[in-house]
Amino acid sequence: MTGEPIDELDSASTDEARDKERLVEAIATGDREAEHVFAVRYLPPVGAMLLARSRNADLAADLRQEVMIEAICALRRGQLRDPSKLTQFVLAIARNVLNYHYRVSIRDPQLLELPEELPDLSSAMESGEDERREGLAMEAISSLEATDRTILQMTLVDGLKPGAIASRLKLQPDVVRQRKLRAIRRVTELVCGPSQSNTIRNITSGKAK
Amino acid sequence: MSQCTGRPADEWLEPYLQGTLPAREQEAFEEHYFDCPVCLAQVQALQAVQMQLARAENKAGVASLPSRAWSMLPGFVWAGLAAAGVVLAFIAIERHHTSASSPVMLAELHDDGGEVGLDVEGHVIGIPSEYSTLVAQALRTRRLPLPSASAEKDGDDVLRGESAAAPAFHVLSPLREVTMPMPEFQWQPLPNAKSYRVEIYEAGYRMVAQSPAVEQTSWKLTTPLTVGQSYIWVVKAETAAGPVPAPQAPVREARFTVADAKTLGAIEAARRQYPDSHLLLASLYAQAGMTSEAREQMAALESQNAGSGLVRDLSLSLEPGAKLPQPPSSTKPAQ
């Protein structure tokens, strides 16, 4: 594989850039519907990022609301000058909120400047998507062979490399690598659901791995 | 819509969720999946699997689901949970068998609710791979990796040619060690002292900070000192007969150095990512010469490993002059 994975991407198309610009302008003018669109658009990746960095589902769920409120309040105040940088702007707020959480053991709610009219995130948060995904994850795990399940656990939870897993399971490292890739591909397809799994199946079938 | 082929997730997702992706790639991947539904779906899917597997490992299984989640579970999830109950039990049994057939462990201890160990082949278990060499050394030698500079601490506390009589009033820490920018100063009490005052000096004996009069025998600095800078500190006890300083000749000056920015950044990154991994943090602090912080981590580790000779030796290795058993002569290096 040559080059970095991101190199081959054009992650923000012109249409996306225009959408972001409209969204940022609408929120700055007080459009509550735009705030809802923003929350629906950014809550999932913010939640994923916070969970990846904290490994604490409850903390991630709490902090993602804080991130969205801070982001919307900043956008209302017109603090983002370049709308094409909306994603980086949200990411920076998310990192700041998480870092701040780790810096102070006792959090002072007064430090978060809340406006009188808080953004309504309820409809964006209560989709039940997380719970649906949890159920699918359990089903996906149960569909794996026992050895694959163990390899996945040692990889994702214990943070072990294939060499160490191979040593513990008395397998060849290459066998562990193959089984790990197969298991990750399988659970990802099962959890992503029918619409995503087709896309991903098409993608993975064309890979050299 | 993104034209992504899913390659970023294929390449980076696993190390990203393990927390081993370098910072630059981590940020690039996050920036990407924030705008890429294909990669975001893969992140969320594998995260969900990771969380379920982690719950299984903690042996709390289904019962550990957050209480607020129960009332929101749709019917098909209940079916999934029932199936998962069987799966989780199976995983627990299987892991038991796996451990029974594992290689012989040279060293093992409990940390962060899990097992940390070193097997006969030199593999470190339960520690992120980027720190495995550091921790392997500690487990193999039963000593925390102190920097060579801290050997100064092994020298005499009393200046040459002077009496070695132990002073009644002396400082405890920091004492010829590396500290955080706002260290806590500790000293022995002096009978009849009304209060104490700490003074901190930089090179050239220019005072840079002074405490108010305190009655207790410790004081924590509230404004940060310059990183990478060395300092001298004294504590003065106020008595009816006048101020009594410590240390005073023939005892050496109490010197300390604030850790440099790179060290502080590396430790903060580890502390943020693995806040409860006491052996890892103790090793990092010790390597940086931050022995007070390393002792705190070892105290936490001792509470989880009552009676462990390995943990006792690791703790003792922080104490100057402690008699430790000779480390094993050779084992295979950790991967």
Side-chain angles (χ1 to χ4, degrees), chain B:
Chain B
M1 181 66 66
S2 165
Q3 297 300 308
C4 177
T5 61
R7 187 177 157 204
D10 262 4
E11 188 93 341
W12 285 340
L13 180 52
E14 184 191 319
Y16 177 68
L17 294 186
Q18 284 181 324
T20 57
L21 196 63
R24 185 175 150 270
E25 281 85 355
Q26 184 186 29
E27 291 182 7
F29 183 48
E30 285 170 348
E31 204 169 300
H32 169 72
Y33 77 66
F34 262 56
D35 283 332
C36 173
V38 175
C39 288
L40 174 61
Q42 294 193 56
V43 172
Q44 291 176 310
L46 209 54
Q47 271 181 332
V49 170
Q50 184 185 36
M51 289 298 118
Q52 296 304 333
L53 289 170
R55 283 176 186 159
E57 180 160 272
N58 288 338
K59 296 185 174 65
V62 174
S64 73
L65 279 171
S67 56
R68 62 182 170 79
W70 288 108
S71 59
M72 300 167 68
L73 293 181
F76 74 90
V77 176
W78 281 104
L81 291 176
V86 177
V87 173
L88 298 179
F90 185 86
I91 288 174
I93 292 166
E94 186 182 20
R95 288 180 69 78
H96 173 74
H97 287 307
T98 301
S99 63
S101 60
S102 299
V104 177
M105 301 300 287
L106 282 176
E108 244 180 331
L109 50 83
H110 306 286
D111 194 7
D112 192 15
E115 301 294 319
V116 172
L118 178 72
D119 69 23
V120 287
E121 295 176 358
H123 301 127
V124 179
I125 311 299
I127 291 288
S129 57
E130 68 265 39
Y131 301 111
S132 61
T133 306
L134 177 72
V135 174
Q137 183 196 348
L139 292 174
R140 197 162 44 239
T141 61
R142 300 172 79 93
R143 287 162 171 77
L144 289 170
L146 289 165
S148 54
S150 71
E152 183 191 3
K153 191 159 185 171
D154 294 336
D156 291 339
D157 275 340
V158 179
L159 296 170
R160 290 171 195 276
E162 297 286 353
S163 161
F169 177 45
H170 60 272
V171 298
L172 296 174
S173 72
L175 204 51
R176 290 190 288 288
E177 65 186 271
V178 180
T179 70
M180 300 296 275
M182 293 192 289
E184 182 175 24
F185 300 86
Q186 296 179 320
W187 54 91
Q188 282 284 88
L190 177 68
N192 304 322
K194 293 180 206 161
S195 64
Y196 305 91
R197 198 179 293 274
V198 173
E199 294 172 355
I200 303 160
Y201 297 87
E202 63 179 17
Y205 294 93
R206 190 177 73 85
M207 196 197 300
V208 292
Q210 184 180 36
S211 75
V214 295
E215 293 183 359
Q216 62 274 29
T217 55
S218 67
W219 175 68
K220 189 169 176 15
L221 199 57
T222 51
T223 52
L225 296 169
T226 307
V227 295
Q229 180 101 17
S230 292
Y231 296 92
I232 296 166
W233 74 281
V234 296
V235 56
K236 290 179 178 170
E238 291 297 331
T239 68
V244 178
Q248 57 180 302
V251 176
R252 282 184 173 187
E253 292 167 328
R255 291 178 179 274
F256 67 96
T257 303
V258 176
D260 60 47
K262 186 179 171 188
T263 302
L264 289 170
I267 288 175
E268 175 60 17
R271 205 180 60 78
R272 204 169 48 228
Q273 206 156 9
Y274 310 105
D276 299 319
S277 189
H278 302 297
L279 178 59
L280 168 59
L281 294 177
S283 300
L284 286 170
Y285 281 129
Q287 187 183 41
M290 302 170 79
T291 45
S292 292
E293 284 79 4
R295 280 191 198 99
E296 283 177 22
Q297 295 297 329
M298 288 309 301
L301 202 56
E302 283 181 33
S303 69
Q304 296 177 31
N305 295 272
S308 164
L310 169 63
V311 175
R312 185 199 59 228
D313 287 352
L314 288 167
S315 294
L316 274 175
S317 70
L318 292 168
E319 307 310 325
K323 300 289 183 202
L324 283 164
Q326 286 298 311
S329 54
S330 69
T331 55
K332 285 187 181 180
Q335 66 170 8

Side-chain angles (χ1 to χ4, degrees), chain A residues 81-102:
Chain A
R81 291 182 183 173
D82 180 359
S84 68
K85 302 284 186 195
L86 180 60
T87 294
Q88 291 90 330
F89 182 73
V90 177
L91 256 171
I93 290 175
R95 287 176 191 138
N96 283 343
V97 167
L98 188 61
N99 289 340
Y100 178 75
H101 171 82
Y102 283 125

